[in-house]
Amino acid sequence: MMIDSWAQIGSTIAGLVFTLATLQQFFPHQLRVSLQQFVLASLQQFSFVQKLCDKLVSFFSPYIQITFPEYSGYWSNQAFTAIETYVGALSTTKASLLKGSLIKNSKALVLTRDDHKLSDEFDGVKVWWILDPSSSTSTSSEDKCFQLIFHRQHRDLITGPYLDHVLEQGKVIEARNKQRRLYTNNPSENWSSYKKNLWSDIAFENPATFQTIAMDPKKKEEIINDLVSFSKGKEYYMKLGKPWKRGYLLYGPPGTGKSTMIAAMANFLNYDIYDLELTTVKNNTELRKLLTETSSKSIIVIEDIDCSLDVTGERKKEGSKTKEKDEKNPVNENTSKVTLSGILNFIDGTWSACGTGRVFVFTTNHVNKLDPALIRRGRMDMHIELSYCSFEAFKMLAKNYLDLDSHELFEKIGILLKETEMTPADVAENLMPKREKKDPDSCLKSLIQALEEAKEKAKSKAEKEKTTKIKKERGKKFYASLIKKRWLFQA
Ligand SMILES: Nc1ncnc2c1ncn2[C@@H]1O[C@H](COP(=O)(O)OP(=O)(O)OP(=O)(O)O)[C@@H](O)[C@H]1O
Ligand SMILES: [Mg+2]
């Protein structure tokens, strides 16, 4: 009935416009202008009537409609993004018409609805989501919006718990689908004042997982449990009045899996990695700026912290040394003036709490050289030693590389691993099949050969060191006796 009357009004006006357009060719200019003004005024009247009718309809309708535009003024509307993800996920399970696309920063094909209308249910209440049909045909994304329609009687439920649920789920799904990024800091000469380009990023594609890391299974489980309780502990940290962050110190010889562990942590937590190259950071102010530009729920890594800076001395000594350096030698632009106290502030000073869910990871080959202040509990909450390959670790590598659970050569390898030190990186290298076809026997034999060679090398090195030591001792004794003789002679 209503549609009929609208159609009648529409056709009448269209007819009027057509008649006027035809007639105006036969009238003088002045009259044509007046006619045009008349048509425009009629159309304005019409849109006014239409708006009025819409208002009347919505006033008497039992349904409420909320619109979520993509942009709120100049800024993009965060709610729109979360709703888009949530509705996208709904589509995959409920919509019958789907469209697949590969979106930037997403690791998998994204399926979205293609029929622009979808229903959802919450607490037994039905709601409808509509991607504004008027914008679906538009090429401009500015007027894109979502409409949520629900019955008036559920107003409180939908505007409260349901929308909270949609926003939260949207963010969770977004994080799950997001392609993780690996960031590295740009030198400050390249920072621009209008563009936030303190960090450069690429897709993070390291496939390392805790399953592929070879280490003591108990230790591994301990780390996983720690990460789980941290990642789920937002409320707990809030209750304690502590910033939601955690520090891990990974130490051990080169090739024992420190960087691999960081990749596994990122994949496990689904966090981005910020790899901080300290040597390009000029001072503590720059360090703070970099920190404020990292996102929440991310891993901030400083690799080889002992090599990056002079943070190996005692705090007091180091502090004064750096101060001296700052004051007396401020000319060398390329020298980083980041101080130990700058780093300590970076980890747990006031500024470190400007984001949440942060994991700090430091790696070093020389843990004993580090200032105790830097690695004390509370800053570096967990100290993880990654060491030479144990038999347990070897078994994991054999499973990963050769798909072997047991083999007659395992026993011999176990004995050799106890007698010599070999990093998991070297063991892994030997287990890599040299030919296209996997041949476990020859891989294990090549490992045994490498272990025996390493054992021999270590033995001859130890013998050499022993001989040098004996020679040094003899030399010392000789000089001591000379000095004694001279002293006796002088006396
Ligand atoms: N514990 C391990 N489990 C599985 N693979 C390992 C392990 N340790 C090393 N590897 C292998 O050796 C390679 C080198 O390891 P990684 O770069 O993690 O060592 P690192 O401890 O960071 O060394 P560096 O101190 O030199 O930085 C990795 O690509 C990985 O394949
Ligand atoms: Mg490394």
Side-chain angles (χ1 to χ4, degrees):
M1 163 80 184
M2 220 175 91
I3 290 172
D4 279 356
S5 59
W6 280 120
Q8 275 168 14
I9 295 172
S11 63
T12 315
I13 288 183
L16 191 67
V17 171
F18 178 74
T19 319
L20 287 174
T22 325
L23 281 177
Q24 68 171 340
Q25 294 177 24
F26 305 104
F27 287 94
H29 174 72
Q30 199 56 38
L31 193 56
R32 272 209 321 255
V33 171
S34 322
L35 279 171
Q36 277 169 359
Q37 280 169 353
F38 170 72
V39 171
L40 283 174
S42 314
L43 285 173
Q44 273 168 6
Q45 290 288 336
F46 175 69
S47 74
F48 169 74
V49 173
Q50 190 186 19
K51 273 185 193 161
L52 195 70
C53 289
D54 283 349
K55 277 196 175 155
L56 275 174
V57 168
S58 71
F59 183 75
F60 289 109
S61 163
Y63 291 97
I64 293 180
Q65 176 184 306
I66 305 180
T67 304
F68 299 89
E70 187 177 14
Y71 289 92
S72 149
Y74 177 73
W75 305 103
S76 62
N77 185 356
Q78 299 281 312
F80 180 91
T81 321
I83 291 167
E84 193 173 36
T85 318
Y86 178 82
V87 176
L90 265 189
S91 324
T92 324
T93 50
K94 297 196 176 170
S96 46
L97 281 172
L98 289 173
K99 188 167 66 181
S101 40
L102 204 54
I103 291 174
K104 196 185 166 212
N105 288 354
S106 180
K107 58 185 175 193
L109 195 69
V110 176
L111 292 176
T112 46
R113 84 247 133 245
D114 205 21
D115 48 1
H116 303 290
K117 189 173 178 186
L118 211 70
S119 65
D120 190 16
E121 215 170 286
F122 184 73
D123 243 357
V125 173
K126 200 163 185 184
V127 300
W128 291 268
W129 283 103
I130 298 176
L131 175 60
D132 190 359
S134 60
S135 67
S136 64
T137 48
S138 158
T139 45
S140 131
S141 62
E142 279 164 14
D143 49 0
K144 233 168 134 186
C145 66
F146 274 102
Q147 285 171 352
L148 172 65
I149 298 168
F150 54 92
H151 201 281
R152 241 169 233 287
Q153 75 185 86
H154 305 301
R155 187 188 195 113
D156 288 346
L157 178 79
I158 301 304
T159 54
Y162 176 66
L163 279 181
D164 287 349
H165 160 80
V166 169
L167 297 183
E168 199 185 306
Q169 282 304 305
K171 282 179 188 161
V172 169
I173 300 165
E174 199 182 329
R176 207 166 47 217
N177 291 344
K178 206 184 103 187
Q179 164 73 59
R180 271 176 305 287
R181 312 292 299 167
L182 171 63
Y183 294 84
T184 186
N185 51 312
N186 294 324
S188 56
E189 294 84 44
N190 302 345
W191 296 359
S192 93
S193 51
Y194 60 93
K195 227 166 87 188
K196 297 201 162 170
N197 63 342
L198 276 61
W199 298 91
S200 296
D201 65 305
I202 52 161
F204 176 68
E205 281 165 352
N206 190 324
T209 61
F210 277 104
Q211 278 87 11
T212 60
I213 289 195
M215 66 185 293
D216 175 30
K218 263 193 193 163
K219 218 163 81 197
K220 195 194 281 190
E221 205 184 321
E222 212 180 298
I223 300 166
I224 293 174
N225 289 341
D226 196 84
L227 287 171
V228 170
S229 55
F230 164 75
S231 63
K232 291 186 178 165
K234 189 177 178 182
E235 275 77 32
Y236 180 66
Y237 277 77
M238 291 250 290
K239 207 173 110 190
L240 294 180
K242 274 167 71 124
W244 185 30
K245 63 183 181 61
R246 194 129 180 102
Y248 296 91
L249 173 75
L250 310 183
Y251 65 96
T256 48
K258 297 178 291 298
S259 304
T260 314
M261 168 77 76
I262 296 169
M265 283 176 162
N267 288 330
F268 183 75
L269 293 171
N270 212 352
Y271 284 9
D272 289 335
I273 295 183
Y274 287 86
D275 186 8
L276 181 65
E277 180 50 64
L278 266 189
T279 46
T280 56
V281 184
K282 282 200 194 127
N283 50 44
N284 296 341
T285 317
E286 283 190 12
L287 188 64
R288 205 179 306 136
K289 276 189 190 159
L290 283 163
L291 178 70
T292 52
E293 280 301 313
T294 58
S295 59
S296 291
K297 292 197 176 177
S298 57
I299 303 182
I300 299 169
V301 178
I302 304 182
E303 288 249 38
D304 300 315
I305 180 93
D306 51 308
C307 307
S308 303
L309 281 178
D310 188 11
V311 288
T312 50
E314 280 170 32
R315 183 153 43 152
K316 255 188 177 170
K317 271 194 223 159
E318 198 278 335
S320 54
K321 199 160 61 178
T322 318
K323 204 173 165 211
E324 216 172 83
K325 238 194 256 172
D326 279 5
E327 285 166 3
K328 289 190 181 166
N329 189 22
V331 225
N332 190 354
E333 287 289 297
N334 294 326
T335 313
S336 172
K337 288 173 195 139
V338 173
T339 62
L340 176 60
S341 66
I343 295 183
L344 300 184
N345 271 324
F346 179 77
I347 312 164
D348 68 353
T350 324
W351 286 88
S352 70
C354 61
T356 54
R358 288 232 181 79
V359 174
F360 291 90
V361 183
F362 289 178
T363 74
T364 180
N365 297 139
H366 310 282
V367 68
N368 297 331
K369 284 192 189 171
L370 295 180
D371 189 307
L374 185 67
I375 57 172
R376 73 148 166 81
R377 306 282 157 165
R379 285 203 175 103
M380 290 292 112
D381 303 279
M382 203 174 182
H383 295 189
I384 303 166
E385 183 180 9
L386 288 139
S387 191
Y388 293 108
C389 195
S390 64
F391 184 55
E392 284 300 321
F394 157 74
K395 282 201 286 189
M396 282 179 216
L397 289 173
K399 177 79 190 150
N400 292 341
Y401 282 77
L402 303 172
D403 211 7
L404 275 184
D405 286 311
S406 62
H407 192 279
E408 54 187 19
L409 292 175
F410 273 22
E411 201 184 331
K412 191 170 184 187
I413 292 173
I415 296 168
L416 281 167
L417 281 172
K418 267 189 196 153
E419 290 170 348
T420 187
E421 288 177 335
M422 186 175 269
T423 63
D426 286 336
V427 174
E429 184 54 36
N430 281 294
L431 292 182
M432 281 275 270
K434 305 286 174 292
R435 284 180 228 126
E436 248 176 61
K437 206 169 153 247
K438 263 188 209 168
D439 177 12
D441 275 19
S442 66
C443 290
L444 293 177
K445 276 178 192 157
S446 109
L447 174 62
I448 290 175
Q449 195 188 338
L451 280 166
E452 278 167 347
E453 278 170 18
K455 192 178 150 188
E456 276 308 308
K457 231 181 183 176
K459 207 170 142 190
S460 61
K461 194 181 163 195
E463 270 167 16
K464 239 186 203 170
E465 275 172 8
K466 202 175 157 189
T467 327
T468 327
K469 205 176 161 190
I470 292 169
K471 273 185 188 166
K472 265 189 192 168
E473 290 292 323
R474 272 193 203 144
K476 262 188 206 168
K477 273 185 194 163
F478 176 71
Y479 282 113
S481 67
L482 265 187
I483 291 168
K484 206 173 165 187
K485 271 182 197 163
R486 202 170 145 199
W487 181 76
L488 281 174
F489 179 71
Q490 278 176 356

